[in-house]
Amino acid sequence: MRNKSLTNVVGCFLLFAGVGVIVAGCGKKGPVLAPVSGKVTLDGNPLPHVIVTFSPNGGGVASSGVTNEQGVYLLACQLGQGAVVGKHRVSIQSQNLAASAESVAPDEDAPNYRPDPYASARAPAFVEKIPARYNTDSQLVYEVHRGNNVIDLELKSQP
Amino acid sequence: MGAKRLRIGFTLVELLVVIAIIGILVGLLLPAVQAAREAARRTQCVNHLKQVSLAMHTYHDTFNSFPAMGSRMITAPGRQWHYYSWAMMILPYVEQKNLYDPLVSAAQNNGLPSPWSNWANWNRDLPPYMCPSDIPPPDRSKAPALLNYKACVGDDYLQNHLTPRDSTMPGVENRGIFQPERWIAMAYIKDGTSNTVMLGEMVVGGQPGAIPGGVALNMQTPSPAGCLARIDPINPKMLTPPVQDSSRPVGGRAWYGLPNFSGFCTMIAPNGPSCLYSLDGAEFMGAASSRHPGGANVSMADGSVRFISQTIDTGNAAALDVPSPGNRPSPWGVWGALGSCSGSESIQTP
């Protein structure tokens, strides 16, 4: 008799725990992300310090990554690591490293400080070294699948 | 001591089971309570955004134009000038005329102190300018007044302070409604006032490098991808260095009329990263952001408030911004199209 009541109580406990787990599991929603990495090469040579961007074809959050010295990139977006599952337009852009000389904001409490409206107008204009068919006119389409994705991008300077 | 002893009280197992059940019930209830509290704060946040939007309309009724994002005025020490924000210009229309009048007399006599300085008339956190869901910045040394609602510069950020009034350099007009030193009338909004973003939420920030709230300095490429690439791939809630220090929180200087402190653009989806291209605070690719789950509120130029999901279509993130984009259709999807006021696309909010 006592054993049976104990079984009932344990049964109730398991039921509540099960409901709790189910309710907790329903909380998360949003697009599914999958990890994406790979290597970027130009005519077979690794391409360091370029920005790889995956923009979803159906609209949604784009993911970007910067290549390291070996040309390897790892994608992330504000929702987390990786890219949204589905088809993406892929583009490869260079970075204007000439602009990187200044990286600390000016001392705004200096007696004669005022904002310089023309600083960037005087700076050298952004120059894209990678052919336009890989960035502004890109037709590269890759699909990101569930699970780990390795997408190597082999660029050629001549079409 | 017989076998049929009458039990008084509970066994240990029963007690533990009751505690476990109560624990599970509280565990189920607590998130619901927190969500209800956040929903109440969000309602109040929407209400504040609506009040500020109506104040913008009252300003327009009075002066036949919206306020400029920042107006150039003389600063007291050294007779330099700074940009003073739209949030200061609409003070009489958010029932703060008693705060506005001393600013006007100071501006007409000795000039105003710089907009981040520790001046008694600056140190005001006005409830209509604040969203109750947000958390204040840790460093208030150069952040006199909080501002959670920012003016939209459009789907454009490059040289977005080069106004046509400057005679020494060629002028550039922003794609959106707001720009330093530009006062535009509602008739200029050719995409329609219901289809153009006027104000948007942004967290006040102050935690260096955090997403949202932090600002990545020295962005390298004038496209949204150039800013998205600053998300740390190992820890996607943070930006890669260099980042803005804690003394310049984006929402901590309500009276400063540069885009870094009183504006945002519609190139990166809500709750995304924010970046500065130049370092003086003008070329700011700032994303709308909030502590509400899933997106941020914006108000359209007709005064209506909408919630924009953080997964809104942002088109081709690799498309470059150019100094004079003109009236081209936005390359940055629905979100970019909502920001431009005459981009020849009258896209409605999703």
Side-chain angles (χ1 to χ4, degrees):
Chain A
M1 190 66 194
R2 185 159 172 216
N3 273 347
K4 195 175 177 194
S5 79
L6 186 66
T7 316
N8 281 348
V9 170
V10 171
C12 280
F13 177 82
L14 287 177
L15 188 71
F16 272 108
V19 169
V21 167
I22 289 166
V23 169
C26 290
K28 201 170 153 99
K29 51 185 182 227
V32 182
L33 299 179
V36 182
S37 62
K39 187 171 183 175
V40 184
T41 52
L42 179 64
D43 301 327
N45 301 315
L47 205 50
H49 312 305
V50 297
I51 300 172
V52 178
T53 305
F54 280 54
S55 305
N57 269 358
V61 178
S63 295
S64 282
V66 183
T67 57
N68 63 9
E69 296 292 338
Q70 287 77 41
V72 175
Y73 69 92
L74 181 62
L75 289 189
C77 63
Q78 62 258 36
L79 305 178
Q81 288 183 345
V84 178
V85 169
K87 283 193 172 152
H88 290 259
R89 170 150 64 163
V90 177
S91 53
I92 299 101
Q93 284 178 301
S94 52
Q95 290 184 297
N96 185 16
L97 291 167
S100 66
E102 266 188 301
S103 59
V104 177
D107 175 19
E108 55 195 359
D109 289 319
N112 290 326
Y113 169 76
R114 65 179 188 194
D116 180 2
Y118 306 116
S120 65
R122 286 194 301 263
F126 176 77
V127 180
E128 181 57 79
K129 293 173 220 108
I130 298 167
R133 64 182 185 282
Y134 294 123
N135 39 68
T136 45
D137 305 335
S138 174
Q139 301 297 323
L140 294 177
V141 174
Y142 284 92
E143 186 160 4
V144 174
H145 302 279
R146 283 167 190 269
N148 224 351
N149 293 269
V150 177
I151 297 173
D152 291 332
L153 303 163
E154 291 162 2
L155 315 188
K156 289 182 176 58
S157 50
Q158 301 300 324
Chain B
M1 300 304 277
K4 287 197 171 181
R5 185 175 67 95
L6 190 67
R7 275 197 296 132
I8 298 173
F10 306 102
T11 66
L12 185 64
V13 172
E14 283 166 343
L15 196 67
L16 288 177
V17 165
V18 168
I19 290 172
I21 290 171
I22 291 173
I24 289 167
L25 288 178
V26 169
L28 289 177
L29 202 65
L30 211 61
V33 171
Q34 294 295 347
R37 284 161 55 97
E38 166 55 26
R41 285 193 294 258
R42 188 167 127 183
T43 308
Q44 201 176 1
C45 188
V46 167
N47 177 265
H48 289 174
L49 180 53
K50 183 89 181 176
Q51 283 183 45
V52 178
S53 303
L54 292 179
M56 285 290 202
H57 276 239
T58 319
Y59 182 101
H60 192 288
D61 289 346
T62 310
F63 297 104
N64 290 322
S65 76
F66 285 115
M69 165 170 284
S71 308
R72 220 185 260 197
M73 285 194 283
I74 296 295
T75 307
R79 310 298 292 175
Q80 294 287 348
W81 49 262
H82 279 301
Y83 291 115
Y84 291 90
S85 75
W86 59 269
M88 188 175 129
M89 304 307 162
I90 64 163
L91 281 174
Y93 311 107
V94 288
E95 315 303 334
Q96 297 292 338
K97 197 163 178 358
N98 56 339
L99 178 54
Y100 183 70
D101 289 339
L103 303 183
V104 172
S105 63
Q108 285 169 345
N109 294 314
N110 296 316
L112 291 162
S114 44
W116 57 86
S117 60
N118 187 18
W119 185 40
N121 285 331
W122 282 159
N123 294 334
R124 306 287 171 95
D125 285 342
L126 298 178
Y129 290 168
M130 292 159 67
C131 178
S133 300
D134 200 7
I135 43 178
D139 182 357
R140 295 295 300 271
S141 58
K142 288 162 84 178
L146 301 184
L147 181 66
N148 268 118
Y149 305 109
K150 303 299 184 77
C152 180
V153 303
D155 57 333
D156 176 25
Y157 84 107
L158 201 61
Q159 297 179 14
N160 62 11
H161 45 170
L162 289 183
T163 49
R165 261 174 54 149
D166 284 302
S167 56
T168 51
M169 296 287 278
V172 174
E173 288 210 355
N174 267 177
R175 297 259 295 168
I177 302 174
F178 296 96
Q179 181 176 20
E181 292 280 290
R182 188 178 60 143
W183 293 260
I184 70 164
M186 225 178 268
Y188 188 89
I189 305 170
K190 298 194 184 73
D191 287 353
T193 52
S194 306
N195 308 322
T196 304
V197 175
M198 176 164 67
L199 302 172
E201 264 190 276
M202 192 188 269
V203 301
V204 293
Q207 301 84 16
I211 303 174
V215 178
L217 301 178
N218 198 13
M219 183 182 157
Q220 297 278 337
T221 308
S223 69
C227 190
L228 293 171
R230 299 297 296 275
I231 301 174
D232 185 347
I234 308 300
N235 178 10
K237 290 283 148 210
M238 298 298 285
L239 298 161
T240 53
V243 295
Q244 188 78 284
D245 62 61
S246 63
S247 73
R248 302 175 202 216
V250 282
R253 298 179 177 184
W255 320 124
Y256 202 1
L258 281 182
N260 191 1
F261 300 103
S262 54
F264 77 107
C265 73
T266 60
M267 295 167 73
I268 290 181
N271 292 336
S274 295
C275 301
L276 271 175
Y277 191 56
S278 63
L279 293 173
D280 64 352
E283 287 169 301
F284 181 52
M285 192 185 280
S289 59
S290 78
R291 309 273 176 205
H292 320 307
N297 291 302
V298 300
S299 76
M300 314 307 282
D302 64 358
S304 61
V305 176
R306 316 274 172 86
F307 188 75
I308 301 293
S309 164
Q310 62 193 16
T311 57
I312 190 172
D313 172 34
T314 50
N316 179 12
L320 294 174
D321 194 11
V322 292
S324 294
N327 288 338
R328 65 175 180 181
S330 175
W332 298 294
V334 175
W335 186 223
L338 287 174
S340 68
C341 57
S342 56
S344 323
E345 38 7 23
S346 44
I347 289 176
Q348 293 175 352
T349 43

